[in-house]
Amino acid sequence: MDHGTVNPSMKLEDQGITGLGYIYYNRSEQELHDAAVAAGEGVTGKGGTFLVSTGKHTGRSPKDKFVVKTDNVADTIWWENNPPMDPAHFDVLYADMLEHMKGGTYNVQDLFGGADPAHRLDVRVVTELTWHGLFIRHMLRRPEASELKTFAPDFTVINCPTFKADPAKHGCRSETVIAMNFEKKLILIGGTEYAGENKKSVFTLLNYLLPEKGIMPMHCSANHAPGNPVDTAVFFGLSGTGKTTLSADPTRVLIGDDEHGWSDRGTFNFEGGCYAKTIGLDPEAEPEIYATCSMPHTVIENMVFDPDTFELDFEDDSLTANMRCAYPLNYISNASENALGGHPKNIIMLTCDAFGVLPPIARLTPAQAMYHFLSGFTSKVAGTERGVTEPEPTFSTCFGAPFMPRRPEVYGNLLRSKIASHGATCWLVNTGWTGGAYGTGSRMPIKATRALLSAALDGTLIESTFRKDVHFGFEVPVSVDGVDDGLLNPRDTWADKAGYDAQAEKLVMMFSDNFEKYVPFIDDDVKAAAIG
């Protein structure tokens, strides 16, 4: 039996998905929330939020993600980064998952990936857990009711957490599996309740499809000056580097917090919501994000709360350091109504340096920007991926390697050509440690980071006096109003100067060793910008 608004000629049965019990199409937020509580999936918190635990999977499972190696993608996938799955194994996996689903209750959400109608993707998400429907309804973009009656999905995501994969039978690694089949336009997710797999699967999909149209897909947040979309800034960075926090600047218009495209028309958000980390969330430093944690239907994942008062504990990471909230973009008062911006005027690459040796901000030449984009140096923050319990220095190319199905140079060359065409100014911003490495130093003061970004975005920073960093070659401002001069020279923040020098040299060698694999694919000016 099925319920809800749907294209009458594009129900699940028309896609060959038959034998299910109740199917609910395009329920509203309230309906999804109420049904999820009734099913015992979570509880209603203060302000009408939805509180839920995702079980043993409290982060993504990148090692369980596969791309089906069909003829149409065999020559375009970056296989070193995307483990292949044999088409025959996928067919068995799909058949077994559909058999497992028979008789069950499922929710279908028909949504758009992309705010620009010229480039959006129509995505159908089928979820076993009702609250996953609420989550993805927040995260992607919601069609009008009239559009649902003619909606025909370009791709379909099926998420069934109670299905356990069999590595021997399905050609995967464990009971958890995320399998992407570009030929059959299907994404299968099984064995994990972590909702982030839904949104990142769609992001991976767009990262593959859009470059063929000359569109740069970006793991970034974005905002623009009030009343002036031409003054757009994008913030590249992995989870935990500050993408969401720093883009939610009350003096600017928020385009989005995580995933965007850069087309010939400008910048556009892929999503319709935000997925913010809540650990240590400060009502003074991040008031708007904090406020969403008591708004109707915000999904609160893996946060400890008082069972009597439902008060959230923003410091208790006993479930995971990757506690999060998911909410629609319009919950942020200064959010863009259309989630569109101009061509980026400023490009900020966020890094979380656990070594504590990078400056809080540095200006990059276009060649240096491509170098740092391909390098993607940062630290994996605790909890974001399974098994990560403290910051781990890593190189994640394009500031999002887990979501990049094509070779890094494809994205690097797209970014470089767009910077050249539109004259963006590029900055590297360290939101990691200062005064010492992780365990000794302290996190970069967010007030200093905000002051430096404000100066970069309003154009005053570019007028500053800069010094060339002896280790990394980029330019660092000597003095900025509102920022301690000592903070701008990381060596000055260390009590142990020899320790700083040793850590800096260690990081230089890591940059050099990591970049060797890109040297055959890049131009001479980028080679000249290489560190080490």
Side-chain angles (χ1 to χ4, degrees):
M1 297 181 66
D2 55 67
H3 311 264
T5 303
V6 63
N7 181 343
S9 62
M10 192 50 69
K11 296 183 178 181
L12 289 186
E13 61 196 51
D14 298 300
Q15 296 180 263
I17 302 172
T18 59
L20 305 186
Y22 284 89
I23 304 167
Y24 294 93
Y25 290 95
N26 299 304
R27 277 168 155 170
S28 69
E29 289 84 352
Q30 186 69 59
E31 290 172 321
L32 290 163
H33 185 140
D34 291 346
V37 171
E41 295 176 3
V43 297
T44 299
K46 291 186 69 174
T49 59
F50 180 78
L51 308 178
V52 66
S53 167
T54 61
K56 69 176 184 178
H57 291 268
T58 57
R60 290 179 292 100
S61 299
K63 295 180 180 178
D64 293 308
K65 187 175 180 179
F66 298 84
V67 174
V68 181
K69 194 170 185 178
T70 51
D71 290 343
N72 63 324
V73 300
D75 296 331
T76 53
I77 297 292
W78 181 23
W79 295 113
E80 294 88 346
N81 187 58
N82 297 272
M85 176 179 282
D86 187 271
H89 280 136
F90 179 87
D91 290 344
V92 175
L93 174 67
Y94 184 40
D96 288 350
M97 185 176 282
L98 292 187
E99 184 63 29
H100 174 86
M101 291 167 63
K102 285 188 175 178
T105 297
Y106 286 83
N107 285 272
V108 176
Q109 287 289 318
D110 291 330
L111 301 161
F112 299 139
D116 187 339
H119 303 304
R120 75 188 182 199
L121 194 72
D122 296 353
V123 182
R124 168 166 284 179
V125 184
V126 183
T127 63
E128 179 182 32
L129 290 174
T130 304
W131 78 267
H132 275 197
L134 177 61
F135 171 89
I136 202 64
R137 186 170 173 82
H138 287 336
M139 297 315 304
L140 294 183
R141 302 192 65 82
R142 297 160 291 284
E144 298 293 333
S146 59
E147 294 175 300
L148 292 174
K149 296 176 181 178
T150 57
F151 187 97
D154 298 310
F155 275 78
T156 299
V157 180
I158 302 175
N159 189 321
C160 186
T162 61
F163 176 81
K164 308 298 182 186
D166 180 342
K169 189 177 183 182
H170 301 133
C172 52
R173 191 187 70 99
S174 72
E175 290 184 341
T176 301
V177 65
I178 302 100
M180 308 189 69
N181 192 320
F182 289 101
E183 184 174 84
K184 294 195 172 180
K185 299 186 176 182
L186 278 171
I187 301 173
L188 307 180
I189 303 172
T192 173
E193 295 180 32
Y194 183 64
E197 298 288 9
N198 295 293
K199 88 180 213 94
K200 289 305 186 187
S201 291
V202 176
F203 183 43
T204 304
L205 180 59
L206 290 164
N207 282 336
Y208 181 77
L209 297 174
L210 292 181
E212 290 184 344
K213 300 172 69 175
I215 298 169
M216 173 69 188
M218 303 179 290
H219 190 212
C220 73
S221 57
N223 61 28
H224 68 73
N228 185 17
V230 171
D231 186 0
T232 290
V234 299
F235 303 74
F236 285 100
L238 286 182
S239 175
T241 56
K243 288 197 316 300
T244 298
T245 297
L246 295 172
S247 59
D249 182 339
T251 67
R252 292 175 65 86
V253 176
L254 178 67
I255 301 171
D257 82 322
D258 194 43
E259 304 170 5
H260 293 80
W262 185 356
S263 73
D264 290 341
R265 294 152 59 100
T267 308
F268 64 98
N269 194 352
F270 290 167
E271 301 185 302
C274 301
Y275 192 35
K277 289 174 72 73
T278 57
I279 186 168
L281 199 60
D282 187 333
E284 292 187 8
E286 300 152 296
E288 296 241 57
I289 299 173
Y290 186 89
T292 68
C293 294
S294 57
M295 290 185 176
H297 315 310
T298 292
V299 175
I300 309 285
E301 276 186 348
N302 298 316
M303 286 191 72
V304 174
F305 60 89
D306 186 297
D308 297 319
T309 66
F310 296 101
E311 288 287 343
L312 299 170
D313 190 330
F314 290 87
E315 305 301 328
D316 189 338
D317 63 356
S318 57
L319 292 177
T320 178
N322 193 37
M323 56 181 79
R324 289 181 179 265
C325 60
Y327 51 89
L329 199 60
N330 65 294
Y331 277 14
I332 302 298
S333 62
N334 61 321
S336 166
E337 291 185 3
N338 60 14
L340 302 175
H343 298 291
K345 183 178 177 181
N346 285 278
I347 294 174
I348 293 97
M349 298 183 183
L350 299 169
T351 181
C352 177
D353 173 24
F355 289 110
V357 298
L358 291 178
I361 196 165
R363 182 171 60 186
L364 306 176
T365 66
Q368 287 173 330
M370 184 168 179
Y371 174 85
H372 282 279
F373 182 72
L374 290 176
S375 297
F377 171 71
T378 191
S379 299
K380 291 180 182 178
V381 176
T384 303
E385 294 182 6
R386 295 192 72 200
V388 178
T389 58
E390 61 182 48
E392 296 179 359
T394 187
F395 290 88
S396 184
T397 189
C398 309
F399 294 98
F403 325 118
M404 302 299 162
R406 296 179 183 270
R407 278 204 59 85
E409 300 81 25
V410 172
Y411 307 104
N413 288 327
L414 266 172
L415 181 65
R416 183 176 185 177
S417 67
K418 290 186 179 297
I419 290 173
S421 296
H422 303 287
T425 302
C426 302
W427 308 90
L428 183 71
V429 172
N430 174 25
T431 61
W433 275 258
T434 186
Y438 169 77
T440 302
S442 57
R443 283 300 291 263
M444 195 70 68
I446 191 169
K447 287 185 178 180
T449 302
R450 287 193 185 280
L452 291 167
L453 281 173
S454 293
L457 299 186
D458 69 18
T460 57
L461 184 57
I462 207 166
E463 303 300 328
S464 300
T465 300
F466 288 80
R467 65 173 176 86
K468 185 175 181 179
D469 189 278
V470 296
H471 293 290
F472 303 101
F474 41 49
E475 293 185 317
V476 181
V478 174
S479 180
V480 178
D481 287 345
V483 179
D484 181 0
D485 289 353
L487 200 63
L488 295 168
N489 190 341
R491 193 173 189 272
D492 291 346
T493 68
W494 283 55
D496 178 6
K497 301 298 192 277
Y500 170 84
D501 293 337
Q503 285 285 72
E505 288 300 327
K506 181 179 179 181
L507 183 53
V508 166
M509 289 306 299
M510 288 178 67
F511 265 102
S512 180
D513 292 345
N514 172 74
F515 204 71
E516 283 297 318
K517 57 182 172 287
Y518 301 120
V519 171
F521 303 99
I522 58 173
D523 293 336
D524 289 342
D525 61 337
V526 181
K527 292 177 185 176
I531 295 170

